[in-house]
Amino acid sequence: MLLLAMDTATPAVTVALHDGDSVVAASSQVDARRHGELLLPAVDRVLKEAGLALDAVTGLVVGVGPGPYTGLRVGLATAAAFSSALGVPVHGLCTLDGLAYASGIEGPFAVATDARRKEVYWARYADARTRETDAAVDRPADIAERLAGLPVVGAGARLYPEAFPDARDPEHQSAAALAALAAERLAAGGEGFLEPLPMYLRRPDAQVPKNYKVVTPK
């Protein structure tokens, strides 16, 4: 087994290789505006670090979000392209699940990432492997009471300390954690994966104007 994992649903452009037992190589850069520019060089970097070629990959893992429209599509489109070229499967995972797994927290907690517009993407967990709620998008003040007393993992907790006073690491997503979670699920029978399709939760910021003037040649 050699899994190539990637996630661009958050400001972290993160890639990792996992051989089924451990992470072979990993790369993470935090830059919310350069997902498309950074992802392929990161893939090349981890392959070179591992001394492997792309055709050695037997499966792909990709974070499906939730995340902003543009950045999220970069990872999903790249995973789909690699899958088509290599003839290997793509395993989708909720981005929040990767952060939860990396936290290692054993009791109840939540994960919150930055959704912009003064909102967070979030979900509640029973432990690092078990999500109790669907991913959602809300204003921090609107969910503060529901998450009162719980640790909250992720950048969303650090952005809104008044709503989430017990912020925990990790702050950013890690493809290494995503790959390790996928390897664990594959070893257990391959259940718990999502279709590699974007989990947006809301409409994109960019909209086609409703009443724009059409100019056609005479």
Side-chain angles (χ1 to χ4, degrees):
M1 178 189 295
L2 184 67
L3 298 175
L4 174 62
M6 62 189 73
D7 196 320
T8 58
T10 72
V13 180
T14 179
V15 178
L17 284 170
H18 196 289
D19 65 6
D21 293 317
S22 62
V23 173
V24 177
S27 171
S28 290
Q29 296 170 271
V30 178
D31 191 326
R33 298 181 181 275
R34 300 172 63 208
H35 294 87
E37 179 181 345
L38 297 175
L39 181 58
L40 288 178
V43 171
D44 186 56
R45 190 160 51 249
V46 298
L47 287 168
K48 285 183 177 178
E49 181 181 335
L52 296 168
L54 183 60
D55 60 9
V57 170
T58 61
L60 295 145
V61 181
V62 65
V64 303
Y69 186 73
T70 303
L72 177 55
R73 290 184 303 166
V74 172
L76 286 162
T78 302
F82 284 164
S83 173
S84 178
L86 299 172
V88 300
V90 183
H91 308 289
L93 285 173
C94 176
T95 294
L96 303 180
D97 289 357
L99 282 156
Y101 186 81
S103 76
I105 297 175
E106 296 183 358
F109 68 101
V111 174
T113 61
D114 182 17
R116 304 175 186 172
R117 302 185 194 175
K118 298 182 180 179
E119 294 178 328
V120 294
Y121 297 118
W122 71 280
R124 179 169 172 152
Y125 291 78
D127 54 52
R129 292 175 173 79
T130 311
R131 179 157 40 87
E132 293 184 314
T133 65
D134 290 335
V137 59
D138 287 288
R139 289 185 176 273
D142 294 339
I143 58 173
E145 186 174 344
R146 294 171 64 181
L147 303 182
L150 293 180
V152 182
V153 171
R158 298 184 183 279
L159 283 171
Y160 304 101
E162 68 285 355
F164 313 120
D166 188 3
R168 301 285 182 92
D169 289 333
E171 181 178 357
H172 295 293
Q173 173 68 309
S174 162
L178 205 68
L181 176 59
E184 188 175 286
R185 290 185 177 179
L186 286 169
E191 296 184 358
F193 291 106
L194 303 173
E195 289 295 318
L197 300 172
M199 186 188 298
Y200 290 131
L201 300 188
R202 67 184 184 201
R203 296 181 65 83
D205 292 330
Q207 300 288 334
V208 176
K210 293 181 179 179
N211 298 308
Y212 62 90
K213 182 178 179 180
V214 178
V215 179
T216 56
K218 293 182 179 180

